[in-house]
Amino acid sequence: MATDQHPDPAAALEPGATLGDIGEFALISALTQRFPQGEQVLIGPGDDAAVLRVRTGHVVVSTDLMVEGRHFRRDWASAADVGHRAAAQNISDINAMGGTATSLTIGIAAPVDLEAQWLLDFAQGFADECALVGASVVGGDLTRGDQVVVAVTVLGACTVAPVVRSGAGPGDVLAVAGRQGWAAGGLAVLGRGFRSPRVLVEAYRRPEPPYAAGPAAADAGATSMIDVSDGLLSEVAHLATASGVRIDVRSADLEVPEPLHAVAAALGGVDPVGFVLSGGDDHALLATFPADADLPEGWAVIGSVAEGEGVTVDGAVRTGDTGWTHF
Ligand SMILES: Nc1ncnc2c1ncn2[C@@H]1O[C@H](COP(=O)(O)OP(=O)(O)O)[C@@H](O)[C@H]1O
Ligand SMILES: Cc1ncc(C[n+]2csc(CCOP(=O)(O)OP(=O)(O)O)c2C)c(N)n1
Ligand SMILES: [Mg+2]
């Protein structure tokens, strides 16, 4: 529902045309034309704020930033990949509460000499990822910056009570859903200047969070849940701390895909399980369930919850990397 319509500059975009060539309002128009509006949207992009219809008694909200050079590199991923990732990492936080994303806003800072096509491809990737869960981009902001920075806010809804980090209890099992460690393998490969194994590089560029697994876990009685953005062990530690329990991860139960073995060998014989234990960026889900719960499809047990505190791997505290930290 854009009210400030301009001709779509993508239709006649000169090759290499920059943001400076196109101008702010034509760019906003071109961006919003890529964002279809769902039936929950009463007023979408184009006014001072969006207006949404709320179906449940509560709204789930999360926000995440992506900074060029830190979360992505334009020479390592296409604009569409970065768009997919920006949407995915936000939608995943709603998934990790057991909810479903409904609407997102997207703030973008970008250099004046950035190719306009990059921004439009980014928007298309973002919109395509949102479409996987039926969410709409309902607004945003556009400003000049020295590097590309993307700030996304996502709103969602839960049909049952949200699954928080603090509900794990002794006797529960720890389970994972989705790929874990693949993106870290891809990042390691790109960091060494290689482009294969392709499946890992693609996993880094475009994560595939298990969007159905969050609501399914909530329905199945999950006692706590979190998504893996930083690293499996550091996210398990968040569950353990918030819940006041000790969580043990059984390394033999972790799936280590074949390409990770190949990368680990190529990197001089490092332990491939390390990618799974401390890798981020895949947005797998971790949840605890009562021991007698029927785990929904896609979930696999990888550990157990006991009285105490902290995280152990095979009963021992693991020294070394547990996940990404910014400071
Ligand atoms: N600048 C901030 N102001 C307020 N709350 C914040 C800020 N940064 C992080 N938080 C909150 O701290 C919690 C942990 O943040 P974070 O580690 O980024 O979680 P996630 O991995 O789910 O994105 C979240 O509830 C988040 O909303
Ligand atoms: C170019 C590049 N270098 C390194 C990484 C790895 N990396 C950067 S931030 C991050 C953790 C997740 O980001 P964060 O901002 O902490 O997300 P949040 O936990 O708030 O969801 C990881 C694994 C990357 N994705 N891209
Ligand atoms: Mg965050």
Side-chain angles (χ1 to χ4, degrees):
M1 221 190 277
T3 54
D4 199 9
Q5 288 293 343
H6 291 252
D8 182 356
L13 209 59
E14 296 284 334
T18 65
L19 301 191
D21 296 330
I22 307 294
E24 180 179 348
F25 294 108
L27 280 166
I28 291 174
S29 179
L31 289 171
T32 55
Q33 283 170 35
R34 281 161 178 75
F35 298 144
Q37 301 299 305
E39 50 88 33
Q40 77 280 15
V41 184
L42 298 174
I43 299 177
D47 215 307
D48 299 304
V51 180
L52 308 170
R53 186 179 285 122
V54 180
R55 286 199 185 286
T56 62
H58 44 248
V59 176
V60 191
V61 190
S62 181
T63 192
D64 263 319
L65 276 169
M66 268 180 46
V67 176
E68 180 176 9
R70 183 138 195 98
H71 296 86
F72 66 92
R73 282 175 45 158
R74 277 190 277 142
D75 56 341
W76 282 3
S78 72
D81 290 334
V82 179
H84 273 274
R85 165 172 288 289
Q89 77 166 47
N90 280 274
I91 295 169
S92 175
D93 279 320
I94 304 299
N95 198 26
M97 298 300 286
T100 304
T102 56
S103 332
L104 300 91
T105 62
I106 174 165
I108 304 167
V112 65
D113 61 357
L114 181 73
E115 274 195 33
Q117 193 61 52
W118 192 95
L119 199 62
L120 300 182
D121 291 346
F122 166 88
Q124 193 60 55
F126 196 96
D128 290 345
E129 188 72 22
C130 291
L132 295 176
V133 294
S136 300
V137 180
V138 298
D141 195 25
L142 188 57
T143 181
R144 188 191 292 208
D146 296 335
Q147 61 197 329
V148 179
V149 177
V150 181
V152 178
T153 295
V154 58
L155 306 178
C158 292
T159 51
V160 295
V163 184
V164 295
R165 296 180 179 185
S166 56
D172 286 354
V173 296
L174 174 72
V176 67
R179 302 190 300 202
Q180 171 53 26
W182 295 44
L187 183 61
V189 162
L190 288 167
R192 304 273 165 136
F194 299 110
R195 294 284 185 272
S196 69
R198 212 167 165 75
V199 65
L200 298 183
V201 172
E202 285 306 320
Y204 160 76
R205 288 177 173 155
R206 212 176 268 208
E208 293 179 7
Y211 292 133
D219 286 341
T223 52
S224 71
M225 188 150 58
I226 193 168
D227 74 318
V228 184
S229 53
D230 297 333
L232 186 144
L233 288 181
S234 65
E235 312 293 5
V236 173
H238 288 313
L239 294 182
T241 303
S243 300
V245 294
R246 181 170 79 84
I247 303 183
D248 185 55
V249 177
R250 269 194 312 272
S251 63
D253 290 341
L254 296 171
E255 199 182 310
V256 183
E258 189 45 44
L260 274 187
H261 288 279
V263 169
L267 295 182
V270 301
D271 183 1
V273 178
F275 291 111
V276 182
L277 287 172
S278 64
D281 282 335
D282 286 305
H283 300 284
L285 288 182
L286 294 167
T288 53
F289 293 88
D292 58 358
D294 281 330
L295 261 53
E297 197 189 322
W299 285 92
V301 172
I302 59 164
S304 56
V305 182
E307 283 180 18
E309 61 180 40
V311 178
T312 51
V313 179
D314 304 324
V317 174
R318 189 173 187 270
T319 51
D321 196 13
T322 61
W324 184 273
T325 52
H326 287 292
F327 302 104

